[in-house]
Amino acid sequence: MGWFGTAGDGAGGGFPHIVSVRDGDGGVVGAGFVLSGDTVLTCAHVVNAALGRAMFASEAPGPAEITVDMHRHTYVTQRHRARVTHWIAPHTRGGGAVRPDDDEWLGDVAVLQLPQAGAPLGAPRFTAMAVGQEVEAWHGSGREATYAFLTVGRLNESRAFLDGSPTGMAVGFGYSGSPVWSKTEKAVVGMIVGHFMPPPGPHSTQHNARRSWAAPWQRIESELRLRGVLNSARPDLTDLPDPDDPAFLLLVEAIEDIYRQPSSRVDSARRLSRDCGVLPGSDVTPPTPEEFAAFLLTHPRALAALAGSLRRNAPADADRVLAAGGLSRTPRLLSPREHAALGKLLGAMESAVLARFPEAVRAALPHLAARPGGDTLEALFDHLESLSGDGRAAGSEPRVPALLRVMEYIAVLCGNRKAELRLWTDAVASRLGIAPAAIRERRSDAREWERSLRARAARVRVLVQVKQADRGRHRLRIWCDEGAGPRQVSTDSVRSYSASEAAREVLRTLDSLTPPAEDERPPLVEVLVDRGGLNLPVDEWTARDPEAFLPGVLGVEFPLVVHCPDILRRHGRFLPHWRSRWSRLDSGKTFVVSESMDRDTIYSKLVNQLDTVRVCVDVPPGPRDGIVQTCLALGIPVVVWDRGRDGTSHTVRYTAQIATPELPDGVRDYRANAKASPPDFPGRPVLAWADADRTVPRLHLTEPQESA
């Protein structure tokens, strides 16, 4: 890049910053190295060791933090708490799990973020590994004396074999994650992953000695780029823009106009280098306008950093730079400092709030084609950062970026941290030149969404406990809940009712209710049953009164769901799973059972899939009931099936188009259509609905449910 260098470009070609990764007891379990100013690259199995997990555990660690020591040079070490932002688990070539006795695997890469890294550390240069390179590696302790001299002996697309010098240190425990450093290239060419130990017992000349293996940089780079990591974490400063690129030409003109004096260009370039964690050039000779513009289109956060420094005293220049950079796909929305501050805010949030992020994203961006994937929240936010504005801006005003709109929706979930998130959003919006009124409008949208959440939770409902008495007759207990909890409205627990009489009794209670004026939704009817009553056709019960003009079909007039507290109570260890799934109702996944499965198979598929909130059971009656009850016992809050005899394909197809929170009303519409046109709507849908935010009566159920 010429004037704008990287940390590895300085005179002498010193070795890269080594990072120590420690476990809960403070012991060193491996190494890492700087990928960008606030990110570190290491092995996934080193992270597993730090967290006390199995070496080849494949699930992402989530919000768990680990301790890392940053060795800025020989005598200065700073301790930080880091979180995994990108996770590529160890896996075999076929994508399966790695066994403890395997000596080759793919993946095994983790990117850590240090939200409070302080002054950015420059990343080293990176280049491809090649056979014959003389390289070095270090122990995770970071001590300079632990260097091991190695030679790249063999190399394929996935790993390289390294042979150690017969004298000095040998690669062993604690070296995993170390950079493989080529002094000749003055660059990192790979990362230590494993080593071959001789068998125990007397030493033989036939045994392996000082042989280890590493992931070549070209393989790491390919995997990281595939997941968009390098686009936001570490720029490739050797990939110069096309001289005819319109963004490049416009930025060159802007730099020439903004910095007419060479001295002012030097001062700005040095500030920009510091903000972006790269080494500046001469204190006297400024970068050329072409070098300056090339850096803005190569480092993904440089343009945002420059716009921030210009915004204070030259807002028109900031707008000009942002407009020119908007013609390129390289610049990211956030500056390095804004990105680090966001990471710090996310790292301080409670897990219950983190779990609701996808729900907030879906509410803020309802037209998003698909929710971005990825194993971590950072992968989600990386995707959001690349999205354009929401299209609501007056005249030539800049649009509000999707990420800022999402942050307003997240803020309303955060309680005491709401003010911090809003201050962050305000600062980014100000740097972008977005009018405060535009942010206030999105803030108002978020508050309206929050009010709708509260309204949904407080829907008026009638709870009906149904117990079978004699053949064709039932005993009832009825409660009403206007939001303050159930209050009993029936006292006769001895009398039995026919289906028509029971429907009249429930309708009499529903008629007595006065829903809030602002809530036009009909009350929810929640039928409390035991396991044997899950298929009772309560939704089909019809009140027939000779004096009435119209019949009253419970499931046609009202959204009617069934709930079996007995199953949840008997499997209490899954109550936390149930509550966790319910908290993700807006964003969780649907699992369709389309073939007969035994209880063990259903258990193994769903027991730890906490993002599965809804199951559709599309199998014939024989095995259906066992599958339904197993799902309910595992804490699946929403289960849909058809009590008919011929499978549930039509019901499943219809309900698949309905968002999970809207299913009670969607199933009611289906029942009404089935009443009007049975050939077109042949199903008899049943919706089991276990709301973890609201209680059911405790004293009147054999197996009471605890308050949520």
Side-chain angles (χ1 to χ4, degrees):
M1 278 304 294
W3 198 93
F4 294 93
T6 63
D9 292 335
F15 61 84
H17 297 289
I18 306 299
V19 176
S20 302
V21 182
R22 298 184 178 275
D23 60 18
D25 298 325
V28 174
V29 293
F33 53 96
V34 174
L35 185 64
S36 72
D38 62 350
T39 58
V40 167
L41 191 69
T42 187
C43 293
H45 79 259
V46 171
V47 174
N48 283 334
L51 296 174
R53 309 199 312 169
M55 178 176 174
F56 297 121
S58 61
E59 290 186 3
E65 293 187 338
I66 59 176
T67 300
V68 298
D69 289 343
M70 187 75 70
H71 305 286
R72 290 182 178 263
H73 54 73
T74 306
Y75 301 107
V76 177
T77 298
Q78 293 181 331
R79 181 157 292 185
H80 302 278
R81 299 291 289 171
R83 291 185 304 114
V84 175
T85 61
H86 293 85
W87 177 262
I88 306 174
H91 59 86
T92 63
R93 289 188 178 277
V98 180
R99 298 189 303 270
D101 58 343
D102 286 346
D103 62 2
E104 179 183 2
W105 55 87
L106 302 176
D108 204 357
V109 176
V111 179
L112 312 178
Q113 184 174 43
L114 285 60
Q116 297 174 312
L121 286 170
R125 289 185 63 247
F126 297 87
T127 193
M129 182 179 285
V131 173
Q133 285 174 332
E134 302 290 336
V135 295
E136 300 175 44
W138 288 267
H139 185 267
S141 63
R143 295 173 184 162
E144 191 171 3
T146 62
Y147 68 88
F149 283 127
L150 307 163
T151 302
V152 180
R154 291 286 186 274
L155 175 66
N156 58 41
E157 63 181 15
S158 62
R159 67 174 179 170
F161 296 101
L162 313 176
D163 285 336
S165 169
T167 60
M169 292 290 185
V171 170
F173 177 80
Y175 279 76
S176 292
S178 167
V180 178
W181 173 256
S182 170
K183 192 171 183 179
T184 302
E185 302 279 354
K186 294 183 180 178
V188 170
V189 298
M191 179 173 66
I192 296 292
V193 178
H195 64 282
F196 296 92
M197 292 294 292
H203 176 70
S204 166
T205 56
Q206 299 299 313
H207 291 162
N208 280 317
R210 300 193 176 220
R211 175 162 292 172
S212 54
W213 67 276
W217 174 250
Q218 49 266 47
R219 191 256 276 184
I220 297 172
E221 182 180 41
S222 174
E223 291 187 316
L224 294 182
R225 284 198 185 281
L226 187 63
R227 291 160 175 81
V229 179
L230 292 183
N231 295 333
S232 59
R234 189 197 66 81
D236 183 353
L237 300 182
T238 64
D239 187 12
L240 297 177
D242 186 333
D244 295 326
D245 181 351
F248 177 70
L249 295 174
L250 290 173
L251 283 172
V252 169
E253 291 179 4
I255 297 302
E256 290 174 339
D257 293 343
I258 294 169
Y259 303 110
R260 295 186 179 277
Q261 298 299 322
S263 60
S264 63
R265 203 186 310 150
V266 169
D267 292 341
S268 179
R270 289 188 65 82
R271 284 195 302 272
L272 186 60
S273 297
R274 182 177 64 249
D275 290 343
C276 295
V278 302
L279 292 177
S282 170
D283 290 339
V284 178
T285 304
T288 66
E290 289 77 12
E291 285 179 311
F292 209 127
F295 182 65
L296 295 176
L297 294 180
T298 307
H299 191 297
R301 302 200 182 278
L303 190 88
L306 177 62
S309 65
L310 291 173
R311 178 66 61 187
R312 291 186 287 273
N313 300 314
D317 291 338
D319 291 338
R320 181 179 179 183
V321 166
L322 288 172
L327 299 176
S328 170
R329 298 179 62 182
T330 299
R332 305 285 285 183
L333 175 69
L334 303 180
S335 71
R337 293 185 184 277
E338 290 165 349
H339 187 257
L342 176 60
K344 182 179 178 181
L345 289 170
L346 296 178
M349 287 183 186
E350 298 177 354
S351 58
V353 175
L354 295 175
R356 299 188 67 185
F357 275 20
E359 176 185 354
V361 170
R362 191 164 118 176
L365 306 173
H367 302 300
L368 193 62
R371 190 173 69 82
D375 291 327
T376 64
L377 283 173
E378 283 71 16
L380 171 63
F381 277 82
D382 280 350
H383 181 80
L384 292 174
E385 196 180 355
S386 69
L387 299 179
S388 59
D390 59 14
R392 293 160 57 188
S396 60
E397 291 181 3
R399 297 191 299 173
V400 177
L403 177 61
L404 298 193
R405 180 172 172 82
V406 167
M407 292 306 294
E408 288 297 330
Y409 279 68
I410 288 173
V412 300
L413 302 176
C414 290
N416 295 335
R417 296 195 172 274
K418 182 187 300 182
E420 294 178 68
L421 286 174
R422 287 179 170 172
L423 286 172
W424 180 89
T425 301
D426 288 341
V428 176
S430 176
R431 195 260 301 163
L432 293 170
I434 295 171
I439 294 298
R440 287 197 296 270
E441 183 182 0
R442 279 58 173 187
R443 196 161 288 169
S444 176
D445 292 342
R447 285 196 295 266
E448 186 63 31
W449 174 64
E450 181 191 25
R451 284 192 290 270
S452 73
L453 290 179
R454 292 200 301 266
R456 187 183 74 193
R459 184 174 192 170
V460 173
R461 62 179 182 155
V462 169
L463 299 98
V464 184
Q465 182 189 10
V466 178
K467 288 187 174 183
Q468 286 189 290
D470 299 329
R471 180 180 296 274
R473 301 190 68 81
H474 311 272
R475 292 190 176 90
L476 306 180
R477 285 183 181 272
I478 304 176
W479 298 261
C480 293
D481 182 2
E482 291 91 347
R487 58 179 179 83
Q488 187 169 353
V489 295
S490 69
T491 57
D492 188 353
S493 61
V494 177
R495 180 183 172 187
S496 66
Y497 301 84
S498 67
S500 178
E501 293 167 343
R504 283 204 302 271
E505 191 71 15
V506 174
L507 286 176
R508 187 178 297 115
T509 301
L510 288 162
D511 286 340
S512 69
L513 294 175
T514 305
E518 67 275 8
D519 190 352
E520 298 178 351
R521 299 169 302 175
L524 176 74
V525 178
E526 187 170 336
V527 180
L528 308 175
V529 296
D530 56 22
R531 288 185 295 171
L534 283 168
N535 286 304
L536 277 175
V538 180
D539 54 281
E540 299 174 3
W541 288 356
T542 304
R544 300 191 181 278
D545 188 337
E547 298 181 2
F549 287 107
L550 301 171
V553 184
L554 292 183
V556 169
E557 295 189 28
F558 300 93
L560 184 147
V561 301
V562 298
H563 182 23
C564 185
D566 171 63
I567 292 181
L568 276 171
R569 174 67 171 78
R570 288 180 182 275
H571 301 83
R573 66 186 183 277
F574 295 115
L575 287 174
H577 290 199
W578 165 53
R579 296 188 179 103
S580 176
R581 288 187 172 104
W582 181 263
S583 71
R584 306 175 187 182
L585 194 69
D586 278 317
S587 57
K589 299 177 182 177
T590 297
F591 180 76
V592 178
V593 182
S594 57
E595 59 184 21
S596 298
M597 296 182 184
D598 59 30
R599 186 171 302 173
D600 290 345
T601 303
I602 291 290
Y603 168 85
S604 62
K605 284 183 175 293
L606 296 177
V607 63
N608 290 318
Q609 290 188 17
L610 298 187
D611 58 347
T612 297
V613 302
R614 168 177 167 184
V615 174
C616 296
V617 183
D618 189 9
V619 299
R624 182 192 62 207
D625 291 348
I627 293 172
V628 167
Q629 293 180 27
T630 302
C631 292
L632 297 177
L634 289 170
I636 304 295
V638 180
V639 183
V640 183
W641 70 97
D642 193 301
R643 71 168 66 92
R645 300 178 58 85
D646 300 321
T648 66
S649 57
H650 189 269
T651 297
V652 169
R653 286 198 306 271
Y654 184 91
T655 57
Q657 309 303 315
I658 304 172
T660 302
E662 308 304 323
L663 270 176
D665 293 294
V667 170
R668 177 192 60 165
D669 291 343
Y670 186 100
R671 290 165 177 156
N673 288 327
K675 192 74 174 174
S677 180
D680 295 327
F681 293 85
R684 301 175 68 194
V686 184
L687 174 60
W689 185 266
D691 188 335
D693 293 331
R694 307 188 72 174
T695 59
V696 298
R698 296 187 181 190
L699 300 178
H700 305 285
L701 293 172
T702 326
E703 298 291 345
Q705 169 192 358
E706 293 297 322
S707 175

